[in-house]
Amino acid sequence: MSARHLTMVNIPVTNNIKLVTSSENPLKTACNPYLKDPSKNNEEAQKQSKVRVVTSENERPIALIFSWMLAKEKHVTKFVKFYISNGYDVINISISPMQLLFPVSGSQVIAADLLKFLYTNKELKPKVVHGFSVGGYVFGEVLTHVRNQPNSFRPVLDSISAQVFDSAVDFEGIPAGLSRAMFPKLVPLRVAMEAYIRYHMKVMQNKATTHYMQSSMSFHGTIVKAPALFIYSKADPIGTEEGNLRLKESWENAGIQVQTKCFEKSPHVSHFYHHPEEYSTELVSFLAQCGLVPQNFQTCVSKMKEKL
C-alpha cells in the first residue's frame, strides 16, 4: 500500500506512549487491571497496576520512535508511515518539558511504562529504535531502568537489530535544546528560559541533573549492541557534531558498528526536511543492511518522501 493512502489506528497506552498500527489488520488491545507488573512487589500494588494488553495475534516487528520535544504530530507521522508501510507497527514515545525537568516523576515513569508494556506483551518484538533529539535521553532512561532490573527487562531489548539517532542530545544540550523547543521564534523568552534551566540544573542537582548524567552514562555504555546510524549536522548547536562523535567512539569501543551521516548546515531535527533525498537513502540503506526493510531502495525511499 502506498504511504500516501495508508490509514492507521492510534491506540493510547499512556499519555506519552502510543501504539500505531495499520488499519488493514490492526492490533487490538484491552486494559487488564490485574496483570503482573514486575516492578511492583506487594499484592495490593499489583492489583492497582493497570497494563494494556494486546489481545490479537501479531507477527509484525515493532519500531520504537522516541520523538523530539514538542514534536508536531504531522511531522512525526512522516516517520511512522514509513515504518508502517514497510510492515511494522510503531510505538511512539513522547515527553513534555515538565517531564524532562523533573525526571523522577516524568521521564523515568515514561521509561518504566514502556518497559512494562513490552514485558507484558512479549509478542511485540522491537526491531528498530529511531530516536530524535531528547529521545536519546529518554532511551538512556530506558537503559538505566533495564540495568536496575535486568532479570525482568533485559529480554525486552534483545530483539533490537538497528538503532537510528537523529540529532541526539547529551545532557549538556538540555538548556539550549529545551528552551529552543519551547520558544523557537521568541528569542528573549528563549534566552530567559535557557538561563532558568541552567539554574534549575544547578539547584536541583539531586532531583534532576544526577539523573540526566546517569541516563547519559547508560546511553554511552549501552547494553544494546545492534548496529547504529547517527544523523547530525555541523551547524547544530544542540545535538552537536562533537557530542555525536564522542558517542560514536564510546559505542565503537564497545564493539558496536556505527555509521554516520553529517550534514553541513541543516538545523536541529530538520535534516530530513532540508535533505529528504539524502536522508531517505541513508536511512533505507542502513535498515536494508540490517535486514529490516526490502532491498528495493527506490520503493522504500519513495515511501519515505511521499507527502502527508
Side-chain angles (χ1 to χ4, degrees), residues 236-295:
D236 187 352
I238 302 168
T240 64
E241 179 183 21
E242 294 77 11
N244 277 272
L245 291 177
R246 284 197 303 270
L247 181 61
K248 177 177 183 287
E249 182 179 10
S250 297
W251 284 20
E252 288 182 333
N253 287 340
I256 301 173
Q257 298 178 15
V258 180
Q259 298 180 29
T260 62
K261 179 61 178 179
C262 180
F263 295 101
E264 289 290 329
K265 298 180 179 180
S266 49
H268 189 62
V269 291
S270 297
H271 312 309
F272 176 71
Y273 177 80
H274 288 273
H275 307 281
E277 184 74 37
E278 288 183 75
Y279 192 110
S280 303
T281 301
E282 195 75 27
L283 175 62
V284 170
S285 176
F286 170 71
L287 294 176
Q289 290 174 36
C290 297
L292 298 176
V293 297
Q295 290 287 344

Side-chain angles (χ1 to χ4, degrees), residues 35-103:
L35 198 67
K36 183 177 180 181
D37 175 355
S39 65
K40 306 289 185 182
N41 295 319
N42 63 74
E43 183 177 351
E44 187 60 32
Q46 289 283 3
K47 289 185 178 180
Q48 295 176 358
S49 177
K50 294 184 178 181
V51 183
R52 186 158 288 279
V53 184
V54 174
T55 58
S56 56
E57 293 186 3
N58 178 60
E59 296 182 354
R60 294 190 295 267
I62 297 292
L64 301 177
I65 295 182
F66 291 84
S67 298
W68 59 99
M69 181 64 70
L70 300 177
K72 293 182 179 179
E73 184 175 359
K74 67 178 182 179
H75 296 151
V76 179
T77 299
K78 171 74 73 172
F79 296 92
V80 173
K81 280 189 173 183
F82 165 74
Y83 283 106
I84 288 185
S85 66
N86 278 290
Y88 287 74
D89 289 318
V90 172
I91 298 176
N92 182 211
I93 304 98
S94 63
I95 184 173
S96 72
M98 289 297 289
Q99 289 168 323
L100 175 60
L101 289 173
F102 297 95

